[in-house]
Amino acid sequence: MSGYSFPVLENREILECMSELGCAMTEEQLVKPSPDHITRVMEQLLDIFMGFSADDNAQMRFSGIDVFDHPELHEFSVGQLAFNRSIMKLMQASGVHDFSHKDLSKPEYPRIRKIFSAVINFAKFREEKVSTFEQFVEATENLQNEKSVVDNKFEELTVQLHQLRAQRKQEEPIIQGLQQENEKMEEQIKSLNVEQSNLKAKIHEMKQHRQELSDKRDHDQFALLTLKTEVSKL
């Protein structure tokens, strides 16, 4: 943090930015700061950045105060100690490492200008980080939503797969019966193919035999005709 730096802003920009933060003030209050006003502004800044309000400060004054012998002497110091610790944390985070109680009890314009410039710069840095974080959160939520959609689809497909497996298991006997019947039909087809092949061979053989008989008949008829012709010549 020792190398942390920030620009010292002009009065106009300080007043505008502090107003945007909810800590409105006049230029006179900035240029001529008073302890009471600066303390109130610091309380507002603590409430904005650290959630430490004036009510919390007052509550801490009374919480556990009874442990002291003279509580009335410590009522203010307990709350003031908590306030000082919180404001130191804010100043350290803003880069003001030389902040002291004097900046509250005897505030001076150059110091207050520097402190407010640092806090404003820290606020802008914090806003950027918050915006980046919110974008990251949004992206994470989108991914989570997409994951939920994928998970739901996966569960849906898993249910469908189980249903298909159950259906297949129920239909398995039918499928096996059809497969067995198909195998029988294939055997019958093979047997018929063999029988058909044998019949084709027999038909071919019969055709050849018929052709031989036809040829023999034609030969015998021709021989008979020749014989008749020769007999008629005698």
Side-chain angles (χ1 to χ4, degrees):
M1 295 292 292
S2 59
Y4 182 82
S5 62
F6 51 87
V8 178
L9 306 176
E10 298 295 332
N11 291 352
R12 178 184 57 80
E13 190 172 1
I14 291 175
L15 295 175
E16 289 178 357
C17 293
M18 292 297 287
S19 178
E20 291 176 359
L21 288 173
C23 304
M25 65 179 67
T26 64
E27 187 169 6
E28 183 177 359
Q29 289 173 324
L30 174 63
V31 176
K32 297 179 181 180
S34 67
D36 289 341
H37 178 257
I38 295 302
T39 299
R40 286 196 301 271
V41 172
M42 290 300 179
E43 288 178 347
Q44 291 175 324
L45 292 175
L46 286 180
D47 189 18
I48 293 170
F49 292 105
M50 304 182 68
F52 185 88
S53 64
D55 293 337
D56 296 329
N57 190 6
Q59 184 177 359
M60 292 190 68
R61 293 179 184 178
F62 293 99
S63 177
I65 200 71
D66 294 337
V67 299
F68 297 103
D69 293 334
H70 300 283
E72 67 279 2
L73 299 179
H74 300 279
E75 178 182 337
F76 179 77
S77 61
V78 172
Q80 187 64 34
L81 179 61
F83 173 80
N84 290 341
R85 286 180 177 176
S86 298
I87 200 67
M88 286 300 297
K89 288 181 180 179
L90 177 59
M91 292 299 105
Q92 289 290 325
S94 301
V96 184
H97 302 289
D98 58 350
F99 182 83
S100 67
H101 181 68
K102 182 181 177 182
D103 292 317
L104 296 177
S105 60
K106 295 182 179 180
E108 297 177 354
Y109 165 65
R111 288 286 302 169
I112 294 302
R113 180 186 175 192
K114 174 185 175 182
I115 290 170
F116 286 167
S117 296
V119 172
I120 290 169
N121 185 72
F122 174 71
K124 292 180 179 180
F125 172 79
R126 179 174 175 268
E127 183 179 0
E128 292 176 358
K129 292 300 180 182
V130 168
S131 176
T132 301
F133 177 75
E134 289 176 348
Q135 292 176 3
F136 175 77
V137 170
E138 182 180 359
T140 302
E141 290 177 351
N142 291 336
L143 289 175
Q144 186 63 38
N145 292 335
E146 292 178 6
K147 181 180 180 298
S148 298
V149 172
V150 172
D151 289 343
N152 292 335
K153 187 64 177 178
F154 176 79
E155 291 179 2
E156 180 182 345
L157 292 175
T158 301
V159 171
Q160 291 180 4
L161 178 61
H162 290 163
Q163 291 175 346
L164 289 173
R165 285 177 175 174
Q167 182 179 354
R168 181 177 179 182
K169 189 173 182 179
Q170 292 177 352
E171 295 175 350
E172 190 171 346
I174 300 175
I175 295 174
Q176 289 179 350
L178 292 174
Q179 288 177 343
Q180 292 175 357
E181 185 176 349
N182 185 54
E183 290 175 357
K184 290 180 181 179
M185 292 180 66
E186 287 180 354
E187 291 296 328
Q188 291 178 357
I189 291 172
K190 289 180 181 179
S191 177
L192 290 173
N193 285 335
V194 172
E195 185 176 351
Q196 184 184 39
S197 179
N198 293 334
L199 287 173
K200 284 182 178 180
K202 288 182 179 180
I203 291 172
H204 180 69
E205 183 180 351
M206 291 177 66
K207 284 182 177 180
Q208 286 183 337
H209 183 63
R210 186 181 64 180
Q211 185 64 39
E212 291 175 357
L213 291 176
S214 178
D215 292 343
K216 187 176 183 301
R217 184 195 61 189
D218 292 341
H219 180 270
D220 290 344
Q221 287 179 349
F222 180 75
L224 180 61
L225 181 61
T226 302
L227 181 60
K228 286 182 178 181
T229 302
E230 290 180 355
V231 170
S232 64
K233 290 179 180 181
L234 294 178

